[in-house]
Amino acid sequence: MQDWLKGLPKAELHLHIEGTLEPEQQFELARRNGITLPYESAAALRTAYDFADLASFLALYYQGMNVLQQERDFYELAMAYFERAVADNVLHADISFDPQAHLVRGIDLAVPFEALGQAMADAESQWGISSALIMSFMRDREAEEAMDVLRRAEPWYDRIAAVGLDSAEVGNPPEKFAAVFDAAKERRIPRVAHAGEEGPASYIRGALDTLDVCRIDHGVRCIDDAELVERLRREQIPLTVCPLSNVYLKGVARLEDHSLPAMLEAGLNVNLNSDDPAYFGGGMANNFIACHAAFDWDTTIFKQLAGNGINAAFASDNRRAQMHAELEAY
Ligand code: ADE
Ligand code: ZN
């Protein structure tokens, strides 16, 4: 079954490219850029990956990405991710990045845009994996800064499949970003947002009503609100759930306690993703395998989950049909 799950054709929709930075690559890039890391070795850094919650993870995540300085660093980061994703038979990936986390370090917007664009094109020609780019805003920073980033990103609007909203959720409700997401909508840029990861179910409603998002990232806290669950079911809003991430960030004590089975039972449009695979126990295959160990789902359910991901991906109609055909033939 593990081999079957690894080979299952999949789409990954919730993936922070900065969260794919493995400790070994972090050390390699630190050396290249003359940065001294506060750890002896990649193994020592890996043991520091023990998180109490989202905040303690984010501290390490933002510290880790300091080694990303030049286009070459972002390019190699993305190519390493694509290569691992291809090994998990990920046919398509919607990858997000955090421009503000780089701008505050003096890295120009052009650096991640150009490097990621090149990696996306090269990965597609080398391995056939398609991808789309999500520009995420950090919700724990001022909305005015996000608006400024949206304006400055204009030269790359044709490269952006959507804007997103991530970082520390509690205390930073979606309504804070109403004007930014309105501006994205005016520019005909689709919108997604993290909601209901650690934050309450009301943030999911806010993301739908105020930010007019087409997908919810995580969304697991919807389960606290029966009326919201019914709405998510009726409207079939895609929820990009990240099972291992929720365990590593202590959203649940064990995967067996996760609300995923209840979400499926309720008829929600769920798909599986890895979020930050370098920090949360691996990529797509590991997430599928962990769900099999925890829930003992059969191949029909995994095919349904993979199909849900393909349906909700930022991909062309042609590409989507191709991916569905591969999944059906599997
Ligand atoms: N940025 C990277 N990973 C994240 C997560 N799981 N939640 C919010 N922001 C993030
Ligand atoms: Zn995320």
Side-chain angles (χ1 to χ4, degrees):
M1 187 66 171
Q2 296 197 358
D3 288 346
W4 186 88
L5 289 168
K6 197 172 166 73
L8 178 70
K10 311 167 187 76
E12 169 139 77
L13 311 188
H14 182 163
L15 182 279
H16 303 266
I17 199 66
E18 298 91 342
T20 70
L21 180 60
E22 295 288 342
E24 294 74 16
Q25 193 172 29
Q26 196 176 136
F27 267 82
E28 185 188 328
L29 299 183
R31 213 165 22 246
R32 170 188 294 168
N33 292 318
I35 294 167
T36 307
L37 296 176
Y39 303 91
E40 288 249 306
S41 63
L45 174 53
R46 213 175 271 285
T47 60
Y49 288 180
D50 181 19
F51 313 113
D53 51 20
L54 178 57
S56 61
F57 155 69
L58 289 171
L60 266 185
Y61 166 80
Y62 291 122
Q63 182 191 83
M65 66 180 78
N66 282 335
V67 301
L68 299 169
Q69 297 279 335
Q70 324 169 38
E71 274 190 31
R72 194 179 156 198
D73 307 332
F74 286 88
Y75 176 83
E76 289 173 15
L77 174 73
M79 288 304 272
Y81 160 70
F82 283 126
E83 191 167 10
R84 286 190 294 271
V86 165
D88 282 357
N89 209 14
V90 173
L91 307 182
H92 174 96
D94 289 341
I95 65 173
S96 73
F97 76 113
D98 286 316
Q100 287 155 288
H102 310 306
L103 284 166
V104 296
R105 303 183 292 111
I107 313 286
D108 197 79
L109 260 186
V111 173
F113 267 118
E114 294 305 322
L116 296 176
Q118 191 62 52
M120 291 163 74
D122 289 353
E124 181 149 21
S125 63
Q126 282 183 42
W127 299 305
I129 184 172
S130 56
S131 58
L133 190 62
I134 299 173
M135 182 175 81
S136 278
F137 301 118
M138 288 172 61
R139 69 198 308 154
D140 48 355
R141 300 183 65 85
E142 293 307 313
E144 290 70 24
E145 186 182 277
M147 186 70 95
D148 184 47
V149 171
L150 178 65
R151 291 200 187 101
R152 285 161 65 180
E154 190 175 354
W156 300 280
Y157 281 170
D158 60 342
R159 306 255 191 100
I160 302 175
V163 293
L165 188 63
D166 64 8
S167 206
E169 185 181 10
V170 175
N172 295 295
E175 290 75 13
K176 179 176 164 185
F177 293 90
V180 183
F181 275 60
D182 278 349
K185 188 174 183 176
E186 277 167 22
R187 291 160 170 80
R188 299 179 185 283
I189 301 173
R191 296 151 310 281
V192 301
H194 284 53
E197 179 187 18
E198 277 191 349
S202 61
Y203 284 21
I204 300 173
R205 203 176 276 112
L208 293 170
D209 292 337
T210 308
L211 307 184
D212 194 18
V213 297
C214 61
R215 301 197 309 227
I216 294 284
D217 289 320
H218 293 293
V220 292
R221 301 259 35 108
C222 72
I223 214 75
D224 302 333
D225 182 333
E227 216 171 281
L228 176 62
V229 168
E230 173 48 23
R231 174 181 179 185
L232 293 170
R233 185 202 61 77
R234 199 174 52 243
E235 297 179 13
Q236 284 296 292
I237 306 292
L239 306 173
T240 67
V241 175
C242 307
L244 285 176
S245 166
N246 296 149
V247 174
Y248 275 71
L249 299 186
K250 311 294 192 293
V252 286
R254 309 172 313 149
L255 191 49
E256 287 80 352
D257 304 327
H258 200 284
S259 52
L260 259 169
M263 293 169 82
L264 282 178
E265 187 64 27
L268 300 186
N269 184 1
V270 168
N271 58 78
L272 302 184
N273 306 272
S274 72
D275 205 4
D276 300 284
Y279 295 89
F280 304 148
M284 287 289 274
N286 280 11
N287 274 273
F288 277 68
I289 289 166
C291 284
H292 180 252
F295 309 126
D296 200 28
W297 289 332
D298 60 18
T299 54
T300 313
I301 296 194
F302 284 110
K303 275 195 157 184
Q304 178 195 333
L305 290 164
N308 289 348
I310 290 170
N311 272 335
F314 290 116
S316 67
D317 291 346
N318 267 349
R319 179 65 180 146
R320 200 184 316 286
Q322 251 177 22
M323 294 193 283
H324 276 305
E326 258 194 66
L327 178 61
E328 266 161 46
Y330 188 68

